[in-house]
Amino acid sequence: MLFSEIYSAYYNTVASIIACAQKGCLDSDSLYKIVRDSAFPESVMTIGSSLESGKWPLIKKDYTTNIKESPTMPLSLLQKSWLKAVIGDKRFRLFADEDLLSRLEVQLKDTEPLFSGNDFSFYDKYSDGDPYDDEQYIKNFRTVLEAVHKKKLVQVEYAGRFGQGKRFSCSPYKIEYSEKDDKFRLLAEVRKRRAVLNIARIKHCELTEKDTTSELSEKDFPFNKRASVTLEIYNERKAMERVMLAFAHFEKSAVQISNYKYQLTLNYDSFDETELVIRVLSFGPMVKVLEPESFRNLIRERIARQMELMEG
């Protein structure tokens, strides 16, 4: 296991207790309070009793400690190798400034990355993703990201769908990433209307000192909401294998109903609904939509339009 929530929580909790003991302010009440606040409910018995009984010889009976140095959790070689691989991703520069990148490169210079981009072959991703190497794109992304965190208005120079230039101010709410498109989108309010902006189309943007007065939330963006569809798959001509490959980038769960029948539930963004309908139809009678009824209606409408075109 690369990272363990359980063990990390235990180690960080004990480190906090030791740090408190080093300051001379630890007692039984504060010890158990740290455990309750930092670890899991069942950890009260495990960590608290182990330290007070001396089973873990880190805290003495008078709630002091012989440990002189501040407790730390150094990264394992596997964790360093994973981190070296992550910082090799072009998208990492969008979230990390040059100072952090330089320090990481120095600290990990003798570490081999756990994997590289060449180890993966994406067959279901568009090839015209965002220009992650472009310095202006990186600058714009960081500006928008800062605006989201600080809730500030942004002045934007934007290229429309047909190349026409637009200038406006917007209230950024959230940045989303489409794995299929390999693009980042900004959900924002523009002229009191909800908008989705492709960050790659932002030519220039500036952070203002004005706080955003908009109180946007997920319900304000009904055009991009999470949805799910349940499919029944008849496993003829390796249909199940082909379906799993076709929907590899979607969050999903599958259940085997019989030797030749499976039930698959896909979770998706409503942005992807039209493409999802087309992909489901491509499997013909091997795939049946069970629910929801709204998605079944989309399938019916699409088939009806295709029949009209054939008859015409």
Side-chain angles (χ1 to χ4, degrees), residues 300-312:
R300 294 189 185 101
E301 292 170 6
R302 193 89 183 186
I303 293 175
R305 288 201 300 268
Q306 291 178 345
M307 292 180 66
E308 289 176 2
L309 291 172
M310 292 175 63
E311 292 173 354

Side-chain angles (χ1 to χ4, degrees), residues 72-97:
T72 60
M73 285 186 61
L75 297 177
S76 67
L77 292 177
L78 180 59
Q79 289 172 330
K80 289 182 178 180
S81 182
W82 176 85
L83 186 58
K84 183 66 173 287
V86 170
I87 67 174
D89 191 313
K90 295 179 180 180
R91 292 166 294 185
F92 189 81
R93 287 191 64 198
L94 303 176
F95 302 91
D97 59 29

Side-chain angles (χ1 to χ4, degrees), residues 116-125 179 245 248:
S116 72
N118 296 329
D119 295 327
F120 301 91
S121 178
F122 297 100
Y123 67 90
D124 55 356
K125 180 183 292 188
E179 186 176 2
L245 287 172

Side-chain angles (χ1 to χ4, degrees), residues 132-150:
Y132 302 121
D133 290 325
D134 184 81
E135 293 300 327
Q136 187 61 47
Y137 175 88
I138 296 171
K139 182 180 179 181
N140 292 339
F141 187 96
R142 291 176 178 174
T143 299
V144 170
L145 184 63
E146 184 179 358
V148 170
H149 288 315
K150 294 184 176 180

Side-chain angles (χ1 to χ4, degrees), residues 1-204:
M1 185 179 294
L2 184 56
F3 296 102
S4 171
E5 179 184 1
I6 294 176
Y7 291 122
S8 292
Y10 284 172
Y11 294 151
N12 286 322
T13 301
V14 174
S16 298
I17 292 171
I18 292 173
C20 188
Q22 289 173 334
K23 296 175 183 177
C25 55
L26 185 70
D27 56 24
S28 182
D29 290 340
S30 59
L31 186 152
Y32 280 95
K33 183 178 186 304
I34 292 173
V35 175
R36 286 193 298 270
D37 293 344
S38 306
F40 304 96
E42 64 274 13
S43 303
V44 172
M45 297 302 297
T46 304
I47 298 178
S49 61
S50 296
L51 288 173
E52 286 192 321
S53 67
K55 181 179 179 181
W56 296 353
L58 303 172
I59 302 297
K60 296 192 292 185
K61 294 294 184 180
D62 60 355
Y63 295 97
T64 60
T65 179
N66 290 323
I67 299 175
K68 304 300 181 184
E69 300 294 332
S70 297
T72 60
M73 285 186 61
L75 297 177
S76 67
L77 292 177
L78 180 59
Q79 289 172 330
K80 289 182 178 180
S81 182
W82 176 85
L83 186 58
K84 183 66 173 287
V86 170
I87 67 174
D89 191 313
K90 295 179 180 180
R91 292 166 294 185
F92 189 81
R93 287 191 64 198
L94 303 176
F95 302 91
D97 59 29
E98 301 306 322
D99 180 60
L100 176 59
L101 286 169
S102 298
R103 287 190 285 113
L104 286 173
E105 288 175 359
V106 171
Q107 294 170 1
L108 301 172
K109 61 183 177 65
D110 297 324
T111 303
E112 289 294 323
L114 187 61
F115 54 84
S116 72
N118 296 329
D119 295 327
F120 301 91
S121 178
F122 297 100
Y123 67 90
D124 55 356
K125 180 183 292 188
Y126 291 115
S127 58
D128 61 341
D130 282 356
Y132 302 121
D133 290 325
D134 184 81
E135 293 300 327
Q136 187 61 47
Y137 175 88
I138 296 171
K139 182 180 179 181
N140 292 339
F141 187 96
R142 291 176 178 174
T143 299
V144 170
L145 184 63
E146 184 179 358
V148 170
H149 288 315
K150 294 184 176 180
K151 300 186 183 302
K152 296 289 186 179
L153 285 173
V154 177
Q155 290 290 337
V156 175
E157 182 180 335
Y158 192 76
R161 182 176 299 180
F162 302 105
Q164 71 276 24
K166 302 179 181 179
R167 295 181 65 88
F168 51 82
S169 63
C170 73
S171 299
Y173 163 64
K174 180 181 179 182
I175 294 176
E176 289 189 342
Y177 175 70
S178 170
E179 186 176 2
K180 175 178 62 68
D181 296 330
D182 192 24
K183 297 179 184 294
F184 282 95
R185 308 183 184 107
L186 172 65
L187 306 187
E189 184 177 77
V190 178
R191 301 187 184 98
K192 297 184 179 182
R193 298 180 62 182
R194 312 307 184 237
V196 180
L197 308 176
N198 289 332
I199 294 183
R201 290 185 181 176
I202 297 177
K203 299 303 180 182
H204 181 74

